[in-house]
Each structure stands twice: as C-alpha cells, then as structure tokens.
Amino acid sequence: MSDQPLRRPATPMLQQIAARPTMRGTLLGVPLGVKVIGALFGLAFLALNAAIAYVVIDGRLDGKWYDFRDLGNAVESLRGWTEDEGFHPGVIYGISALLGGLGILSLVGVWLIIGPWVERRVIAKFQIRVGPNRNGPFGLFQSIADALKLMQKEVIIPRGADRFLYFVPPVMIFVPALLGWGPIPWAEKMAYIDLDVGILFTIAISSLGVLAVFLAGWASNNHYSLLGAMRTVAMMVSYEIPISLSLLSVAMLTSSMRLSQIVAWQGHYHVWIIAILPFAAFAFLFASTAEINRTPNDIGEAESEIVAGFYTEYSGMKGGLFMAVELGNAILVGALMSTFFLGGYTMFGLEEWIPGYIILLTKILAVYFLFVWLRATLPRFRLDQLMGFAWKFLIPISMVQVFVVAIEASVFARVTAPALFTLGAFAIVNLSITILLVKLWADRLGYAVIQHPTKPVLTQAVGGLRAAERIRKPA
Amino acid sequence: MPASTEPYVLNIGPQHPSTHGVFRLRVVMDGEVIRDLDMIVGYLHRSMEKLAEERTYTQNIPFTDRADYLAAMSSNLGLALAAERLTGVVPTERSQYLRVIFAELQRIASHAMANGTLISDAGAWQTPLLYMFREREKILDLFEMTCGARLTTNYMRIGGVSFDPPPEFWPALAELVAELPERIDEYFELLTDNEIFLGRTRNVGIISPEDAINGSLTGPALRGSGVPWDLRKAEPYCVYDRFDFDIPVGTVGDVYDRFMVRMEETKQSVRILQQAMAEIPSGPHKNDVALALRPEPGEIYSRVESPRGEIGFYLVSDGTPAPYRFHLRAPSMINLSLLREMGVGSSLPNAVVTLGSLDIVVGEIDR
C-alpha cells in the first residue's frame, strides 16, 4: 500500500463534460453592463409591483381590472363594461370563455414544455445524475427538442389496426385533460366555469379518459396494448369509487359541491380539509395516482411488463400526445388535490397579499413533486394487489368515513360552539377513527406488517440436500 | 350468450425492456395468467465454442469476456485455471491473490447489476439500479486502472495475471472496501423493509431445494433455495481456502431470498477483499509461459464460482496449441431452465420478476 494521493481515471466522456462550460461559467461570462441593466429591470419590476400593492391595499383604488392580484377581476370588469355598452349576452360570454380557455390552454401548454424538464431534473437529482442540461439554459429547451423530434418521426400504423379508431384516441384523450380544469378556482372570482355541481363534473370528466385508453388498446391490434387497456379499465373501475367516496365526504363537510365554495369554506375557517379528513385525502391521492398511471400504480403502462401499455403501438407525436396528457393530468390531479384538501388558492390569509393563482400553482407543484418523489422511490404494485387494495381496503374504510362525516356535518350545522373548537374535535375524532379502523381492518384481513423479513442464514457448511435440511431444521 | 375466452400468445422479446438482452419468451396467456411458456434463445449466438478450436488457449481468454460480459473476470479466471490444470503451469503466489481480489470485485459489481435490474423489473424506475451503479462504477474504474478495460477485461493469463495493479490502485481499493459495508446497509435500509418490494418478491417464483438440485441450478439461485453449495468452499481454487467467509443461504427459495443472498454475498466478498488486501505477498504477477502451449493429449473439466453460478470449462487437448474441444458450462443457461416450472400458472408481473431474479446474461446463454 502506498500513500500516493488517490487518482481516478477520467474517462473521455468525463473530460468532455469537465471541459464544457457550465451554466455558472456562462453566467460569470455575462458582461457587467448586461448584468447591471438586468438588475435594474428586476428592481424596477419589483418596485412597480410594490407600488401597485401599496395603492391597492391602501384602498386608494379598490380592486379593478388592473389589480394584478386577481385576474378574475379583469374578466369581471370586462364583462361589466360590455354589459354597460349593451352587447349581446352571447358576445359577453364568448369573450369570457375565450379568455378563460386561452388561460387554461396556455397553462397546460407551458406546462408541457416545463413539466418534462422538471420531472427529469428532479428524478435525476434523486438518482445522483445530472439530468438534461445541454439544450438552452439549464437544459430547459430539452422538451422542445424532444417535441420537434417526435413531430418529425413517422407515425406507423400497425398492420391489422383499425385505422379510424387508431387515430381517434390521442385526440380524444386530450378532451378530459383540458375539461377537468374548468371548475377549478384560481382566485376568488377566477374560475373558468364555476359550476354548482363541480364535484360531479370532476368525477364525470375523470372517467372519460378511460374511453380513449380502451380504444387505443383495442385499435392497436397488439397484445401489449390490449393488456394495458384491460388493466387500465379494471383499475379505473375500481378506483373511481374511493375517489367518489372521498369527494362525497368533502361535499358533506362543506355542504357544497361548488369548488369555489369548498375553497372559500377552507379559507373561512382557516383550515385545510386534509387535517379534518386525512383518510379521504390519502384515498384521493392514492386513487388518483392509479387513475393517471403513475408509480407505484402505473400498471397500465408497466414498462418492464407490457412495454408501454395501451400506447405501445403509437409512434411519433401520437405517442407523444399520450405522454403529454399524462403529464397534464398529473398537475390536474395536483390542482384537484389542492382545491379539495389543501385549501386551494387560500393560504391562511396570505391570499390577501399574494395572488391566489400563485398560491394554487405552488400547491400544485408541491403535489407534483410528491408524485415525482414517489416515482423515483417506489417499485410497482401488482395488478391483483392493487385491485385488492381498492376493494378490500380503501372502499370499506371510505364508506365508514362517509357515515362518520355525515354525522359530523349535521352536528356542525347545529352546534353554536366556535368553529375552531368543533373542527378541532372533528380532526381528532377522525384521525383516531381512521387509525383504529385501519388497524382493525388490517387485522381482520389478516395483514401484518413484516417487521423483520427473513435474512439469509450464514453458514460455513458445504453440502447438498442433507446440508440444506440441517440448516433448515437445526437439531 | 355466455362470454367465451381463449388463450392468446404473447411474444416477449427479443426486444423487450425486461428480458436482459436479446432473449425471447413465447408465453401463452389466459388474461393475465400464464398457461405456457417457451424460452427461445440463440439471438446472440456467435459460435464461440467452434471459434475457440482455432485459437490457442491464451487467445481464447478474450472470448470468455464476451460470454459473461457482466462478470468477465470470473470467466477469465475459469479458463485460466482450466488451461493451467491441463498444461501443468503453476501461477505465482501474488497472482493468486490478485485473481481473488479481482474475482470478488467482479462479484460485487455483477451482484449490484443483478439486484439493481431486479428492482427495475419490479417497477422502481431505476433509482436503486443507479445507486448500485455508483459502486459498480468505482469497481470498473479499478479495472480500468489495472488492465485498461472496464467490461471486457481480458485480465487473467495462464500462469498469472496480465498486469500488476498500479500504485494508486491500492488506496482506491482500500477506500472502496471501507465504504462498501455502509453502502450495502443503505440498500438494506431502503429496500428490504419496503412493503411494495416485499409484496412483489416474497413467495414469488419459489424453487424447492429438491427442484434446484434436480435442475442443476448453481450460484445464488441454488443458495437462495437453501442449499449451501459454493465452489469457493466446496473445492477451493486459487487461495480461497485461506480466507474466512460464510455462505449465505435462503430459507424459502423465493425471489426475495435470491435477492438477499446476493446482497449478503456482497458483504462476504468485502470480507474476502479485506483479508486478501492484508495478506497479499509481493513478487512477480506472472510466470513466463510460452504463447503457444502444447498440452499433452487429454481432457479436463474445471469450474469456478462465478456471480451467476458454476462456470465450467471442458477442454480437450490433442497435443496441438489449440484445444480440440472447448465447452463452456454456462450457469445462466442452466439456471434459466427452471423458469418454465416457476412461470406457468403465475402472472406476467411475477414471471418478469422471477426472470430478473435468475440474473441471466444472454451472452453466456448463447455463447
């Protein structure tokens, strides 16, 4: 052994990476003048915002269309102005719808460019890698390059495929992915369509996507696609129920199916429903990962088993559309989760100071980070385990929860005690009931946590069958 | 009208994410249940055994790299030992230790690959695989330092090894050996108590000890079934009889046991490495041996414990520099033979995980 310093051989690849200017290097290389001008612009932007905030909060101007905190007011005042001018109601609604639709489309569109980058960079951090960092600043243009590549690729129609049905699903699957954004409130008066049956609409829309999935699996004329479609349909059928039951609890507790009122309820009592209904939140999150085909429930497109599931045969941008919808659905579920359980656009009074849509966006990204985290960490369930979990575990406990919440909701409507006290009591009661139920039900199912899984036996002996028996049954 | 179903044929491979190479499974499925399963091999056939009959024993060593490309050192060692026994060449003392060190490093690297891909087959999106590659990468760096190659090492020679490790090899090895137990504990922590992983691997793909012996399984697949058979202990080659280590054996014989046996073997390899590093003598790393050895006419079967099991070389000499017959007993090929018994009646996810736990290398199966 020598005391020479450790030297690892640098591979040509590593040398190339080391020789290439990094992002930090390029930032340092920016001329001073550009930096100063950039800093001045940044300061000016902050000062402008501060001035507007000061004016608005000070009450000199009450919230009008230029109030940047609440984009909903902009549409509201636009509508007011068109009404005053005596336009036809159709025009008014048309303009509002166009603005809202543009908003949703641009949100999803921007996300489709940033989302893959976020996912790949975060997963790379989990996997002690670097992730995409070559195209554009921090590799941000990687998704654009990927999309361009996908568009250039040939769309191959497999022999024996149903040509019409083969082309429909990639388009069809986009419909629920965009419609689902409709009733989500982004700020106080900022929802594309503030339905009074928002929960019903959400549940109805979320089960539409399975149609496209099944069509894709069927029309591809491929066994992998069909297996993936079958798995997805079975999973959707199972997991619609826990989702509906957990949303039913939320609706009963807040006595509203209107999403904006659910958020307003949480803002009014300064509480997140996840604190009152922890099991409903868990059931919703778990079932949602099953619905949008994400780890640990991604059995519909389990790569190591059925290649890519229902979209195995889709090449080029057709396959890219399926992946895009998956990504869009991930933040849609994040938005629903935030709206129902995490207080939506409210943040304990912070929404007075920060635009509600930014708060909601932060929450969506937090939920999305959770999804990425799960994907980077957990193995996949098996189909039968997943079905068993839904039918044997989630659904019975969710049903009991619905009964408990029904009692609590009627109590809440009748008692005159302070809401903080009542809701705190509900939270404690629900948490204890959930823990007790989960424990009892798991015992009843015969499930026990494997505390110390069997470790291999260490032996010095060598031999065949007899030695094996001796090790198995020591004398 | 009653619904009627019919089984269908699913063709898994040769290009499929979980076949670990160009290996093909023809599966008759009824819904998600496997009714029949055929294994079709030969997509990577390179006529290795026939080509070997045209080359000298030393020239054949690179072929063994390409057979089991994830454990090139072990295959090198197998051929070097077989040729030494055939020709009567005695390796130097230092080279014996170097062979043990490199074979054990290769075992750690190969087990990291095997367990990592097994977890990827279970659906874990490659995170554990990449963490295990962290150690494998350091081991491959050590290989590169010593013999210039990372994967196809071509390191063992008849009568010794091709190069003595450079001075910077030893501190790097000491650092690796010092940090490996910690890393292995990290994997234990992350994986062995993971509910989903336990649910996917426990009581899946069970092989009984009787079946394992009847199917002439070797390596972790055999030891996972509880049979304590390790050639390093059963018929010690090189200087394995001078080291103190244990054979880990499983208790159930399922996928999880095979996984755990590999993890535990990694720990034992670290123990061997520590002892070998401490005891290695100085001296020449190689005896000078004629390039074209002409062994007496005769035959030899020599076997070593590769990460995948017993890799055996059957060499027949007719007195010429090239072997008259060169046969490689590929452990992957023979371990694979029980897949049908384990797969039929189970479901597709179970079959994929079982295939992953057998740790096949297609280069070795097809040769």
Side-chain angles (χ1 to χ4, degrees):
Chain A
M1 305 276 259
S2 72
D3 294 331
Q4 287 189 359
L6 179 64
R7 183 170 61 83
R8 294 240 169 71
T11 57
M13 185 73 177
L14 281 177
Q15 282 165 357
Q16 274 177 22
I17 292 173
R20 176 137 184 158
T22 57
M23 190 60 209
R24 184 178 294 167
T26 44
L27 265 185
L28 288 175
V30 173
L32 188 68
V34 177
K35 275 184 196 164
V36 169
I37 292 171
L40 283 179
F41 266 107
L43 281 177
F45 178 71
L46 286 179
L48 186 70
N49 278 358
I52 294 176
Y54 174 72
V55 168
V56 170
I57 292 157
D58 208 34
R60 293 184 195 178
L61 294 166
D62 50 343
K64 283 284 187 296
W65 63 272
Y66 43 79
D67 178 357
F68 78 110
R69 289 180 307 156
D70 194 345
L71 287 182
N73 281 344
V75 180
E76 195 67 25
S77 54
L78 187 72
R79 188 189 285 170
W81 176 72
T82 44
E83 268 169 10
D84 292 346
E85 295 291 316
F87 278 104
H88 188 266
V91 177
I92 300 166
Y93 283 112
I95 290 173
S96 309
L98 205 65
L99 278 176
L102 273 179
I104 289 171
L105 274 181
S106 53
L107 172 85
V108 176
V110 169
W111 178 250
L112 291 188
I113 291 170
I114 299 176
W117 177 82
V118 170
E119 175 143 9
R120 290 172 68 175
R121 285 292 283 226
V122 172
I123 283 195
K125 287 280 173 293
F126 277 108
Q127 297 182 340
I128 45 175
R129 296 186 285 123
V130 181
N133 67 343
R134 298 282 112 166
N135 295 319
F138 303 106
L140 257 172
F141 299 159
Q142 183 65 44
S143 332
I144 299 174
D146 286 347
L148 283 176
K149 185 205 76 171
L150 281 176
M151 280 177 210
Q152 287 172 18
K153 285 188 124 179
E154 184 189 357
V155 174
I156 301 164
I157 308 165
R159 188 181 299 158
D162 187 319
R163 286 184 69 98
F164 175 69
L165 291 185
Y166 180 77
F167 280 119
V168 170
V171 185
M172 200 168 135
I173 200 167
F174 249 99
V175 175
L178 292 176
L179 278 185
W181 288 100
I184 288 170
W186 286 87
E188 206 172 327
K189 282 178 228 157
M190 194 177 155
Y192 181 56
I193 171 165
D194 201 7
L195 279 175
D196 51 355
V197 285
I199 285 184
L200 208 59
F201 179 81
T202 307
I203 293 171
I205 287 300
S206 71
S207 44
L208 264 183
V210 68
L211 265 176
V213 168
F214 193 65
L215 270 188
W218 181 256
S220 295
N221 190 28
N222 180 323
H223 287 319
Y224 289 123
S225 307
L226 193 59
L227 265 178
M230 269 159 45
R231 286 176 171 199
T232 312
V233 171
M235 207 157 61
M236 290 265 190
V237 169
S238 309
Y239 278 93
E240 280 293 313
I241 303 167
I243 284 192
S244 311
L245 286 175
S246 61
L247 292 190
L248 185 60
S249 319
V250 174
M252 286 197 299
L253 187 68
T254 58
S255 63
S256 172
M257 285 179 106
R258 192 189 287 268
L259 265 59
S260 60
Q261 275 185 21
I262 290 171
V263 176
W265 188 91
Q266 299 180 60
H268 179 249
Y269 292 114
H270 294 294
V271 67
W272 289 359
I273 293 184
I274 192 172
I276 307 175
L277 302 172
F279 189 79
F282 167 74
F284 183 81
L285 191 70
F286 191 88
S288 301
T289 57
E291 292 242 329
I292 61 172
N293 259 329
R294 284 191 79 92
T295 318
N297 305 333
D298 57 338
I299 57 165
E301 48 193 68
E303 192 201 349
S304 59
E305 293 153 26
I306 50 172
V307 190
F310 54 89
Y311 66 91
T312 304
E313 285 288 358
Y314 283 87
S315 57
M317 203 57 208
K318 294 232 175 287
L321 285 179
F322 280 112
M323 286 182 247
V325 164
E326 213 161 274
L327 209 68
N329 278 343
I331 54 163
L332 177 57
V333 165
L336 291 174
M337 179 80 196
S338 317
T339 304
F340 289 129
F341 297 104
L342 302 177
Y345 60 82
T346 66
M347 187 79 192
F348 308 119
L350 198 67
E351 67 272 13
E352 300 286 329
W353 304 84
I354 296 174
Y357 46 91
I358 288 184
I359 293 178
L360 183 61
L361 210 56
T362 318
K363 287 178 181 173
I364 291 173
L365 287 179
V367 178
Y368 184 70
F369 176 76
L370 183 68
F371 284 153
V372 178
W373 189 356
L374 290 179
R375 184 174 180 191
T377 316
L378 292 180
R380 187 187 302 121
F381 279 110
R382 215 165 49 210
L383 182 64
D384 53 326
Q385 290 167 340
L386 209 53
M387 294 292 146
F389 190 72
W391 289 100
K392 289 184 199 158
F393 189 78
L394 279 183
I395 293 176
I397 295 187
S398 294
M399 279 184 173
V400 177
Q401 165 131 25
V402 167
F403 283 112
V404 173
V405 174
I407 295 165
E408 282 174 357
S410 65
V411 169
F412 189 58
R414 280 172 180 77
V415 295
T416 49
L420 183 71
F421 175 74
T422 328
L423 291 176
F426 288 170
I428 294 165
V429 166
N430 280 341
L431 190 64
S432 12
I433 286 180
T434 305
I435 292 172
L436 201 69
L437 261 182
V438 169
K439 178 82 179 66
L440 285 180
W441 191 252
D443 286 348
R444 170 133 182 79
L445 289 180
Y447 174 81
V449 178
I450 308 151
Q451 288 292 354
H452 298 289
T454 50
K455 291 244 160 72
V457 183
L458 295 178
T459 174
Q460 291 275 348
V462 179
L465 209 51
R466 287 206 200 97
E469 270 161 20
R470 273 201 297 280
I471 289 170
R472 195 166 281 189
K473 300 186 207 73
Chain B
M1 196 180 84
S4 65
T5 61
E6 60 184 60
Y8 59 95
V9 177
L10 188 66
N11 189 36
I12 303 179
Q15 282 93 31
H16 187 277
S18 62
T19 51
H20 300 261
V22 280
F23 166 67
R24 183 174 158 210
L25 277 174
R26 200 176 148 277
V27 186
V28 179
M29 305 237 315
D30 183 6
E32 285 267 341
V33 182
I34 295 176
R35 291 281 175 237
D36 196 7
L37 186 150
D38 279 341
M39 290 160 284
I40 300 160
V41 297
Y43 290 93
L44 205 58
H45 181 61
R46 287 150 298 172
S47 177
M48 205 171 267
E49 293 182 358
K50 186 68 188 164
L51 286 171
E53 292 168 12
E54 303 292 320
R55 283 157 178 78
T56 65
Y57 293 94
T58 311
Q59 282 173 338
N60 275 327
I61 293 174
F63 277 143
T64 60
D65 295 338
R66 275 83 180 162
D68 184 354
Y69 45 75
L70 292 180
M73 289 288 186
S74 310
S75 327
N76 285 177
L77 179 58
L79 180 58
L81 282 179
E84 276 164 11
R85 281 181 197 164
L86 192 63
T87 53
V89 174
V90 180
T92 64
E93 185 74 3
R94 184 175 172 80
S95 78
Q96 299 267 29
Y97 278 84
L98 285 174
R99 284 175 174 184
V100 169
I101 287 174
F102 279 98
E104 291 308 312
L105 281 174
Q106 184 75 75
R107 191 181 311 280
I108 296 171
S110 175
H111 281 351
M113 181 85 183
N115 280 342
T117 47
L118 168 62
I119 301 162
S120 285
D121 284 345
W125 229 73
Q126 294 157 1
T127 306
L129 175 70
L130 284 163
Y131 273 82
M132 289 181 178
F133 264 37
R134 183 172 52 174
E135 276 70 65
R136 183 172 181 267
E137 202 63 18
K138 286 183 180 168
I139 291 170
L140 295 192
D141 282 350
L142 290 177
F143 289 178
E144 190 183 355
M145 256 182 222
T146 308
C147 63
R150 294 162 66 81
L151 200 68
T152 51
T153 51
N154 188 17
Y155 183 59
M156 311 291 175
R157 289 283 183 277
I158 298 164
V161 295
S162 61
F163 298 101
D164 205 36
E168 64 261 29
F169 173 87
W170 298 105
L173 177 64
E175 193 198 21
L176 178 72
V177 167
E179 73 177 20
L180 260 174
E182 209 177 291
R183 299 280 196 222
I184 298 166
D185 285 344
E186 204 179 303
Y187 303 139
F188 269 99
E189 221 170 84
L190 186 69
L191 294 166
T192 51
D193 289 342
N194 186 318
E195 280 291 328
I196 304 177
F197 183 66
L198 289 175
R200 284 301 303 277
T201 54
R202 285 176 89 239
N203 299 323
V204 170
I206 296 178
I207 314 175
S208 68
E210 291 82 7
D211 283 353
I213 290 175
N214 288 341
S216 74
L217 258 59
T218 46
L222 176 67
R223 291 192 283 277
S225 296
V227 183
W229 180 255
D230 189 325
L231 287 173
R232 292 174 296 171
K233 274 240 189 278
E235 35 181 75
Y237 49 92
C238 293
V239 284
Y240 272 113
D241 47 349
R242 299 182 200 172
F243 303 128
D244 178 32
F245 63 97
D246 295 321
I247 309 176
V249 293
T251 46
V252 185
D254 52 6
V255 171
Y256 183 72
D257 269 353
R258 295 194 273 280
F259 171 83
M260 288 299 280
V261 161
R262 286 201 187 93
M263 292 294 260
E264 198 59 53
E265 268 184 24
T266 312
K267 276 188 171 177
Q268 300 299 328
S269 292
V270 173
R271 275 178 73 190
I272 297 175
L273 280 174
Q274 283 164 343
Q275 296 169 44
M277 274 166 65
E279 291 169 18
I280 185 163
S282 54
H285 66 277
K286 185 172 180 285
N287 280 334
D288 283 338
V289 174
L291 275 179
L293 284 167
R294 289 169 194 274
E296 294 294 308
E299 59 180 15
I300 185 97
Y301 179 73
S302 167
R303 52 189 183 173
V304 298
E305 184 76 23
S306 100
R308 262 154 281 282
E310 173 187 324
I311 182 161
F313 287 88
Y314 175 64
L315 302 177
V316 180
S317 166
D318 57 355
T320 58
Y324 175 74
R325 175 81 172 97
F326 174 103
H327 175 67
L328 173 64
R329 180 210 188 268
S332 299
M333 173 90 173
I334 292 160
N335 288 355
L336 188 62
S337 61
L338 276 188
L339 183 63
R340 189 165 187 277
E341 273 70 25
M342 290 186 277
V344 172
S346 76
S347 63
L348 185 60
N350 281 351
V352 165
V353 171
T354 309
L355 178 64
S357 78
L358 289 178
D359 184 22
I360 58 166
V361 169
V362 179
E364 192 183 54
I365 292 175
D366 291 347
R367 303 197 277 287

